[in-house]
Amino acid sequence: MKAQAAGAGKDIEYYARALRAPRIGDGYRPLADTAREAGWTHEEYLAAVLSREVAEREASGSALRIKAARFPGHKMLEDFNFEHQPAADRSLIAHLGTGVFLEEAKNVVLLGPPGTGKTHLAVGIATRAAQAGHRVLFDSATGWVARLAEAHARGQLAAELAKLRRYKLLVIDEVGYIPFDQDSANLFFQLVASRYERASLILTSNLAFSRWADVFGDATIASAMIDRIVRHAEVINLTGNSYRLQGRIKPQNLAH
Ligand SMILES: Nc1ncnc2c1ncn2[C@@H]1O[C@H](COP(=O)(O)OP(=O)(O)OP(=O)(O)O)[C@@H](O)[C@H]1O
Ligand SMILES: [Mg+2]
């Protein structure tokens, strides 16, 4: 019996390698002991072995997608304090965390003053999307424009935009902190237009839409862009004082 088990074990290890499922090779033995002790059926044992492989595959897949997303830091929706930011509707954010908006190629726009949680919520929602199996990429608005300018210089702008459409979600952080010149504004417009009704964006900005004309240096481009962004979007206006300054500086002293 022992010798038979050892022989079967070698076979299982061989098959696990052939299937590129190494966790089956590592885990079948302790699970078999548990199964014997607990009197599992053959089906229950097989299900336990397979579900472990699948769970660990999914976990490592989502860890890889989160790493590939190039988030600036680790921010989870679970860590967001909704009491401090009543303008963020908890149930809306939870809904966005399910990733349903991605299936409809909808956008999310987070507006508000510095430190009010825009980047935190953007990364939190995008992390959920990555965990759900979607490809996600994060950059600042200036980062995106630099990437597109470089592709444009190589004559590869259309190819780059097509490549980016394979990402279900792009996060464009900090629209408005640095104004764009005409070429950059055009590139940014093309990014927004290329995703319209096809793939989602999350944008964050410290400026209300009414001030975007200043950022893009052109009211026509700004309004054409806002049109495309908000046609299918959740726009969330965050308010209040910076969370960064909590307990450090009183806001009324900031001006001095
Ligand atoms: N409601 C909140 N609950 C928990 N942490 C928060 C909350 N709001 C902000 N923070 C934290 O405060 C810091 C600043 O928030 P965040 O980076 O999201 O601000 P922001 O709105 O993107 O600001 P900026 O416009 O300057 O980029 C982060 O470390 C973030 O995790
Ligand atoms: Mg930010």
Side-chain angles (χ1 to χ4, degrees), residues 32-250:
D33 293 339
T34 311
R36 267 188 289 270
E37 278 161 32
W40 292 355
T41 63
H42 293 98
E43 287 84 353
E44 283 169 336
Y45 171 63
L46 182 59
V49 171
L50 295 178
S51 80
R52 201 177 134 127
E53 172 70 24
V54 169
E56 291 188 23
R57 258 187 209 195
E58 281 173 359
S60 68
S62 89
L64 284 175
R65 279 188 300 278
I66 288 170
K67 190 153 182 269
R70 299 178 176 276
F71 295 131
H74 177 78
K75 298 288 174 190
M76 305 295 278
L77 291 183
E78 290 80 356
D79 302 326
F80 194 76
N81 178 351
F82 286 89
E83 266 81 62
H84 188 264
Q85 183 49 267
D89 176 348
R90 193 190 286 261
S91 65
L92 172 60
I93 303 295
H95 174 69
L96 295 173
T98 66
V100 171
F101 75 102
L102 299 168
E103 306 306 335
E104 298 161 351
K106 280 174 87 174
N107 303 317
V108 178
V109 186
L110 293 151
L111 302 175
T116 49
K118 303 181 296 293
T119 303
H120 187 132
L121 288 174
V123 172
I125 295 166
T127 299
R128 289 283 186 83
Q131 287 168 336
H134 300 295
R135 293 181 75 202
V136 175
L137 202 52
F138 179 104
D139 209 338
S140 63
T142 49
W144 283 115
V145 164
R147 181 182 178 124
L148 296 178
E150 193 263 334
H152 186 53
R154 283 186 287 116
Q156 295 291 318
L157 181 61
E160 182 68 14
L161 290 170
K163 195 169 117 195
L164 290 174
R165 277 199 302 273
R166 297 213 299 269
Y167 288 85
K168 199 89 171 174
L169 174 62
L170 301 183
V171 183
I172 304 180
D173 199 26
E174 301 184 348
V175 176
Y177 277 124
I178 299 172
F180 290 134
D181 60 25
Q182 178 86 47
D183 289 345
S184 303
N186 283 332
L187 288 169
F188 196 87
F189 176 78
Q190 295 205 46
L191 178 61
V192 169
S194 94
R195 299 184 72 78
Y196 180 63
E197 296 188 335
R198 292 200 261 189
S200 297
L201 293 171
I202 298 182
L203 296 108
T204 83
S205 178
N206 62 320
L207 298 178
F209 286 129
S210 57
R211 308 233 345 247
W212 282 31
D214 302 339
V215 178
F216 294 98
D218 182 324
T220 315
I221 287 199
S223 74
M225 189 148 50
I226 293 165
D227 224 52
R228 281 164 179 73
I229 293 169
V230 303
R231 174 85 177 82
H232 310 283
E234 295 292 349
V235 179
I236 300 167
N237 285 288
L238 302 179
T239 54
N241 300 319
S242 174
Y243 201 88
R244 296 188 185 101
L245 303 176
Q246 240 196 348
R248 294 191 200 165
I249 311 172
K250 290 201 169 62

Side-chain angles (χ1 to χ4, degrees), residues 3-27:
Q4 244 180 350
K10 284 236 166 339
D11 286 348
I12 293 172
E13 280 154 27
Y14 168 78
Y15 291 134
R17 278 198 304 279
L19 284 171
R20 307 211 190 301
R23 299 166 202 90
I24 289 181
D26 297 339

